[in-house]
Amino acid sequence: MPLGPWKKKNKSTKEHLVENEEVSGGHAGVGSFGKSAVNGAGLPPPPVNQRPKLVFHTQLAHGSPTGRIEGFTNVKELYTKIAEAFSISPPEILFCTLNTHKIDMEKLLGGQIGLEDFIFAHIKGIKKEVEVYKSEDALGLTITDNGAGYAFIKRIKPGSIVDKVKVICVGDHIECINGHNILGTRHFEVARMLKDLPRDKSFTLKLVEPMKAFEMLEPRSKGAKPASDNKIGTGRGTLRLRSKGPATVEDEPTEFEEKAIKKVDDLLESYMGIRDTELAATMVEVGRDKKNPDEFAMALDETLGDFAFPDEFVFDVWGAIGDAKHGRF
């Protein structure tokens, strides 16, 4: 099937096909050319007694005792386990970072957790409302989501419209746009809503920032830099979380895999205004054994049907995967 007819309109579903980068939220989701392809059959989570019996340590990022969690297979279950450990409600958790309590977008928990990683949960803090005048087409925001219905700001471009509004910070959850509640809306949909706002008019954002301890207060970050080579996992193996099918323990990704995922993540930001390493990892997995771009496009449609990827983007992703396979980075 040629690329053009393959594309279809976005569905209105709120289901998170990528449970984390999307943390999200943004996260450290990495696949493997040597692993089995993404399971698109929509299998239910495995029975509790068949899930990986791995124990992770966790704290609330603004300060708390250390808790122990186990027996989860996706991000929503992870948030539930963390919430139980600290007697809070799961919706209070905005996103998690690995091995740092700071709001570091390079350390977001995504589709993979190193077996020795320490999980810090960032919970809801101050709510704020801000009016922004859209004087240019581009706001300078990159959006991601936490895999459980919350879209938040992953990066702010220096010198952009949003960069000049100092109350808006990396890590802020976008709760409402012009009074419209976007809870449960995927990050790519939020990015499109912001892009479609009329130019030369003001709009209102309701935001929720992560709770901070006093010693953590510092100038706001611009967020994740596209060229970063930071690695998330500290363990030699990783627990791969999936929205469909069971979690699996896998080896660390190869250098070529990491570069391919990084390149696809850069392309996601360029074409769609989002960063999502788990989504990028899924696309790399889907494309690893496809023989041509049309076959790759059809596989993407089956696996990620609610995304409408431009033809040029599909070609570029196919090229990035091919470069990784043959070491052309």
Side-chain angles (χ1 to χ4, degrees), residues 84-204:
E84 291 173 352
F86 298 109
S87 299
I88 62 176
S89 172
E92 288 297 304
I93 301 173
L94 291 179
F95 55 84
C96 295
T97 50
L98 299 177
N99 307 315
T100 179
H101 65 283
K102 296 182 179 180
I103 302 172
D104 185 345
M105 295 294 107
E106 292 295 327
K107 302 293 180 66
L108 281 174
L109 182 150
Q112 282 197 339
I113 308 173
L115 299 185
E116 298 177 10
D117 282 343
F118 197 106
I119 302 170
F120 289 89
H122 299 255
I123 68 173
K124 289 181 178 179
I126 297 173
K127 290 190 175 185
K128 50 195 178 184
E129 184 171 324
V130 59
E131 186 173 281
V132 181
Y133 182 74
K134 190 175 183 181
S135 58
E136 303 174 20
D137 291 330
L139 293 171
L141 283 178
T142 298
I143 309 299
T144 188
D145 68 45
N146 72 345
Y150 290 170
F152 62 94
I153 298 171
K154 187 168 186 180
R155 194 160 71 91
I156 297 175
K157 183 178 180 181
S160 64
I161 294 174
V162 170
D163 187 39
K164 298 172 184 177
V165 184
K166 299 306 179 183
V167 72
I168 302 176
C169 301
V170 166
D172 285 354
H173 160 49
I174 303 174
E175 187 176 65
C176 294
I177 300 175
N178 281 337
H180 175 64
N181 190 304
I182 61 169
L183 178 63
T185 304
R186 291 298 308 277
H187 51 344
F188 67 94
E189 295 174 326
V190 175
R192 182 168 55 244
M193 290 169 64
L194 292 170
K195 181 179 180 181
D196 290 344
L197 290 170
R199 183 172 174 172
D200 297 325
K201 289 188 177 181
S202 296
F203 64 94
T204 302

Side-chain angles (χ1 to χ4, degrees), residues 19-36:
E19 284 289 348
N20 313 335
E21 208 352 14
E22 271 144 350
V23 19
S24 309
H27 306 203
V30 279
S32 173
F33 291 127
K35 312 291 189 308
S36 61

Side-chain angles (χ1 to χ4, degrees), residues 9-15 184-186 188-189 306:
K9 296 181 179 179
N10 290 329
K11 301 175 184 176
S12 59
T13 178
K14 302 301 182 184
E15 178 187 3
T185 304
R186 291 298 308 277
F188 67 94
E189 295 174 326
D306 62 342

Side-chain angles (χ1 to χ4, degrees), residues 29-30 33 225-229 254-272 274-277 279-281 283-284 296 312-325 328-329:
V30 279
F33 291 127
K225 296 181 180 179
S228 173
D229 290 327
T254 66
E255 180 182 0
F256 291 149
E257 291 165 357
E258 289 185 338
K259 289 182 177 180
I261 293 162
K262 170 63 173 56
K263 177 62 176 178
V264 174
D265 200 23
D266 289 345
L267 291 170
L268 281 169
E269 181 174 23
S270 176
Y271 281 95
M272 303 182 69
I274 64 174
R275 292 193 77 84
D276 188 330
T277 50
L279 174 58
M283 298 182 76
V284 170
F296 175 49
E312 298 84 358
F313 171 78
V314 175
F315 277 115
D316 286 347
V317 171
W318 171 254
I321 294 172
D323 287 342
K325 284 182 179 179
R328 293 194 294 263
F329 278 118

Side-chain angles (χ1 to χ4, degrees), residues 15 19 39 41-52 71-77 242-247:
E15 178 187 3
E19 284 289 348
N39 183 346
L43 297 176
V48 174
N49 60 1
Q50 294 182 16
R51 298 182 186 183
F72 55 90
T73 192
N74 57 48
V75 172
K76 290 182 180 179
E77 291 182 2
R242 302 178 184 275
S243 59
K244 298 177 179 179

